[in-house]
Amino acid sequence: MANERLRAALLERGVSIAELATAIQVDPKTVERWITKGRAPYRKHRYAVATHLGMDESYLWPEALTREQVASASESEIVTVYPHRWAVPRDAWGRLFAQAQDEIGILVYSALFLADDAGIVRMLGEKAAAGVRVRILLGDPDSPEVAQRGADEGIDDGMAAKIRNVLVLYRPIRGLDGVEIRLHRTVLYNSIYRGDDQMLVNTHVYGVPAGNAPVLHLRKVLGGDMVTTYVESFERVWEQATPVGS
């Protein structure tokens, strides 16, 4: 079967078969066979193609990696684990966003601690001005999901109030080119803070405030799929969320 994922990846990146072949030092006919006949390249070539296209090896050739290889690569994506969000060094949030060159994504209910940091808010605006896409997903304060989360944390209407407060705190960057803010109505199992291929994932634990729950620091590794899983979750929520006006 043809490898339509590889074909689509080349079209998406604007890379021709000849250009890819030159970049990874193989014959163009070899690349054509990878696409038209669905042949899997040697591991070194899969890695080279994935690196050149900036995509996941496991996405381009899902059957080529064994479960053990995917598990090993995914484990390597874990940089560190913090027992609580309050244990994450304050400058870790700033570094995550400061290093981003293409994409910043924030998926939360409120994350008031972040919006209340004027330096972080200013940085998000500066990053957008520099061409980085900044997307922020907040819980819809009028949704039953937010009400339930407030009840679970024992703060009831306090959760919706925090979200409304955050919307006010983000006013300096609302409406800026490159900054998009949407409201979602989903049961949020994790809060996700992304800067390109790195992310801080704040797990949600029933009856425990997010600030007291564990945080995973992840960095994308080719062949791993933990970061990819969270990115896909972010995109699913984004697609069904409602834009906030400036």
Side-chain angles (χ1 to χ4, degrees), residues 22 44 55-56 73 76 140 155 179 185 214 217 225 239 244:
T22 299
K44 68 175 183 178
M55 304 190 76
D56 298 330
S76 298
D140 185 334
I155 60 174
V179 176
R185 290 173 165 248
H217 181 183
D225 60 5
E239 288 172 2
V244 174

Side-chain angles (χ1 to χ4, degrees), residues 53-148:
L53 296 178
M55 304 190 76
D56 298 330
E57 179 186 356
S58 56
Y59 171 79
L60 295 173
W61 293 282
E63 305 301 325
L65 299 179
T66 66
R67 291 184 179 180
E68 290 76 14
Q69 288 174 320
V70 173
S72 177
S74 297
E75 183 177 348
S76 298
E77 290 185 316
I78 301 174
V79 178
T80 190
V81 178
Y82 299 99
H84 311 285
R85 193 184 69 198
W86 54 259
V88 179
R90 184 178 180 279
D91 62 350
W93 306 96
R95 287 199 307 272
L96 177 72
F97 300 133
Q99 294 172 2
Q101 299 296 314
D102 300 303
E103 177 87 23
I104 289 175
I106 299 171
L107 168 58
V108 295
Y109 274 138
S110 68
L112 178 58
F113 78 99
L114 203 65
D116 200 32
D117 188 325
I120 291 291
V121 175
R122 183 170 58 252
M123 181 191 298
L124 294 176
E126 291 171 350
K127 280 294 180 177
V132 177
R133 186 184 188 189
V134 177
R135 293 186 291 169
I136 302 172
L137 279 160
L138 302 172
D140 185 334
D142 297 319
S143 69
E145 291 79 13
V146 166
Q148 185 60 56

